């Protein structure tokens, strides 16, 4: 964290009684959120995955199996391929602490705090962008990282770990996107009343949205429908998605937009966010500030914590040094938010950026 403030962390297990869960039919939709915010408090660090040891075990195992394709792991530590679980993502996230203070009070001496809502990529829990959330919070933002229950590989709820409901979400892009947008709208509705003094410090006129991958698509569709969102940053994601109603892609939005993508190289056999088809359509319909950047050597998870934590670095993160990637994407996201949410123009957005030669305009 590079900001002047210590960071607090509090888990908020919100429920939306106004709509049934589209994946299970339950009467109430769970919308779990982790709040990150500046604090003057001190205390024990918040854990990376959950506040419960048994939850951590389950969550770490599921994430390792899905993200690193370790399909045979069990809690006894050996896969059917003879790979020790110690040589995987599992121990890197299982007992990991964040640098945030668990349940610390929100800082009340800074006035109302600009808000950032974060949505992860398809199947990902919000936990996996904790580095970004802590960096923004250390600079005075209230960051709310969502996990989309039953779509995510694992979701921490108040009394259980909800695993991905594969039959309900597989290839169900429209259902998932509509659910994500509804989750985010519900969270915006709840902003003023978030507990433990958090809502009281939220500046409702300064709300930005950041999304990785499908979370970026979520932010664009939300911004098209809801003017409370003042700017959208997309981390290696599409502006629209096949099989969904892509109103932002097709009609444009007036809010400022930033895409921070892996490299545009049609010959490398890897599709980055900027290479998805919707961006050509959006460039013709956009009617607000648009910044599009590519990061040399970066693959998809270079824009999440997983790029730093995985043992499959080249496959998931690319050739960029993981530590560099973890410095880069929070710094550029903050430059965008400072410019368009806080009204403090950051020259980083006007290339060239001498300290970041791997970033060029698209």
């Amino acid at each position: 964290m590079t900001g002047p403030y210590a960071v607090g962390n509090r888990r908020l297990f919100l429920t939306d009684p106004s709509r049934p869960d589209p994946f299970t039919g339950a009467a109430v939709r769970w919308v779990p959120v982790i709040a990150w915010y500046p604090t003057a408090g001190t205390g024990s660090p918040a854990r990376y995955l959950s506040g419960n040891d048994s939850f951590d075990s389950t969550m770490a195992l599921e994430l390792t199996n899905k993200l690193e394709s370790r399909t045979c792991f069990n809690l006894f530590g050996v896969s059917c391929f003879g790979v020790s679980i110690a040589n995987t993502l599992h121990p890197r996230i299982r007992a990991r602490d964040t640098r945030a203070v668990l349940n610390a009070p929100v800082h009340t001496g800074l006035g109302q705090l600009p808000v950032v809502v974060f949505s992860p990529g398809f199947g990902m829990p919000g936990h996996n962008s904790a580095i970004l959330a802590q960096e923004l919070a250390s600079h005075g933002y209230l960051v709310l990282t969502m996990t989309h229950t039953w779509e995510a590989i694992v979701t921490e709820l108040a009394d259980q770990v909800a695993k991905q409901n594969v039959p309900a979400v597989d290839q169900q892009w429209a259902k998932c996107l509509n659910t994500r947008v509804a989750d985010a709208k519900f969270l915006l509705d709840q902003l003023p009343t978030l507990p433990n003094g958090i809502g009281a410090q939220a500046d409702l006129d300064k709300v930005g949205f950041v999304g990785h991958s499908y979370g970026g698509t979520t932010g664009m569709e939300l911004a098209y429908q809801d003017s409370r969102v003042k700017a959208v940053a997309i981390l290696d994601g599409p502006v629209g998605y096949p099989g969904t109603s892509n109103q932002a892609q097709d009609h444009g939005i007036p809010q400022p937009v930033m895409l921070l993508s892996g490299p545009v190289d049609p010959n490398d056999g890897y599709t980055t966010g900027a290479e998805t088809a919707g961006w050509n359509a959006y460039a013709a319909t956009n009617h607000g500030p648009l910044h599009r950047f590519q990061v040399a050597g970066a693959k998809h998870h270079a824009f999440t914590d997983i790029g730093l934590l995985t043992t499959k670095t080249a496959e998931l993160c690319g050739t960029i040094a993981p530590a560099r990637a973890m410095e880069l994407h929070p710094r550029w996201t903050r430059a965008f938010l400072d410019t368009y949410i806080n009204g403090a123009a950051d020259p980083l957005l006007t290339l060239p950026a001498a300290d970041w030669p791997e970033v060029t305009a698209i």
Side-chain angles (χ1 to χ4, degrees):
M1 301 184 294
T2 66
Y5 307 113
V7 174
N9 166 294
R10 187 177 291 271
R11 288 167 165 80
L12 306 175
F13 300 107
L14 307 179
T15 55
D16 182 359
S18 70
R19 59 188 168 118
D21 191 290
F23 304 123
T24 66
V28 173
R29 170 70 179 167
W30 280 95
V31 184
V33 173
I34 302 176
W36 312 80
Y37 44 83
T39 185
T42 59
S44 301
R47 296 288 289 273
Y48 185 74
L49 289 178
S50 81
N52 180 300
D53 284 344
S54 65
F55 288 7
D56 278 356
S57 295
T58 300
M59 294 176 74
L61 190 66
E62 291 293 317
L63 288 165
T64 299
N65 283 335
K66 291 287 180 67
L67 290 172
E68 292 193 338
S69 301
R70 310 289 196 180
T71 55
C72 300
F73 273 130
N74 57 46
L75 289 173
F76 297 104
V78 178
S79 82
C80 63
F81 302 107
V83 177
S84 169
I85 201 167
N87 298 320
T88 70
L89 175 67
H90 185 279
R92 301 184 182 201
I93 58 176
R94 163 66 182 83
R96 190 178 186 87
D97 287 334
T98 69
R99 297 175 65 189
V101 181
L102 178 64
N103 295 334
V106 63
H107 204 311
T108 57
L110 304 176
Q112 290 188 305
L113 306 173
V115 178
V116 178
V117 176
F118 178 85
S119 176
F122 180 83
M124 297 293 288
H127 308 70
N128 291 337
S129 287
I131 292 172
L132 171 63
Q134 290 172 101
E135 172 65 10
L136 295 176
S138 78
H139 286 271
Y141 286 90
L142 165 60
V143 184
L144 302 168
T145 56
M146 295 190 297
T147 295
H148 301 287
T149 313
W150 305 117
E151 178 210 294
I153 295 169
V154 283
T155 304
E156 179 194 6
L157 300 180
D159 59 354
Q160 64 176 300
V161 173
K163 297 182 183 181
Q164 188 178 56
N165 188 335
V166 175
V169 303
D170 186 38
Q171 303 298 311
Q172 299 296 310
W173 303 118
K175 180 192 290 187
C176 289
L177 184 58
N178 291 339
T179 302
R180 285 165 157 265
V181 171
D183 287 349
K185 283 185 177 179
F186 170 73
L187 179 55
L188 292 181
D189 291 343
Q190 299 303 303
L191 264 180
T193 58
L194 290 179
N196 303 103
I198 296 171
Q201 297 304 125
D203 190 334
L204 306 183
D205 295 321
K206 293 183 177 180
V207 178
F209 197 102
V210 179
H212 173 245
S213 192
Y214 207 42
T217 312
T218 304
M220 293 298 287
E221 289 303 296
L222 177 67
Y224 181 87
Q225 300 177 30
D226 198 320
S227 62
R228 289 177 291 183
V229 176
K230 306 303 183 187
V232 180
I234 303 177
L235 305 178
D236 203 49
V239 64
Y241 208 87
T244 66
S245 176
N246 299 313
Q247 298 177 96
Q249 170 195 288
D250 296 339
H251 305 294
I253 62 173
Q255 295 97 319
V257 173
M258 181 185 76
L259 169 66
L260 192 63
S261 173
V264 178
D265 182 353
N267 298 315
D268 66 0
Y270 185 81
T271 300
T272 63
E275 292 173 333
T276 53
W279 280 108
N280 290 331
Y282 184 76
T285 61
N286 166 68
H287 41 280
L290 176 60
H291 302 271
R292 292 192 290 176
F293 304 108
Q294 58 184 330
V295 182
K299 282 193 172 182
H300 201 48
H301 286 288
F303 303 93
T304 75
D305 300 352
I306 297 302
L308 184 64
L309 301 174
T310 183
T311 59
K312 292 192 170 185
T313 304
E315 181 179 332
L316 296 179
C317 184
T319 58
I320 189 172
R324 179 67 168 176
M326 295 310 107
E327 292 177 337
L328 190 151
H329 78 267
R331 178 66 186 92
W332 284 77
T333 302
R334 180 164 62 85
F336 175 74
L337 295 169
D338 281 351
T339 299
Y340 291 108
I341 298 299
N342 268 340
D346 191 320
L348 194 67
L349 297 182
T350 58
L351 294 173
D355 294 335
W356 304 94
E358 58 269 83
V359 181
T360 55
I362 297 173

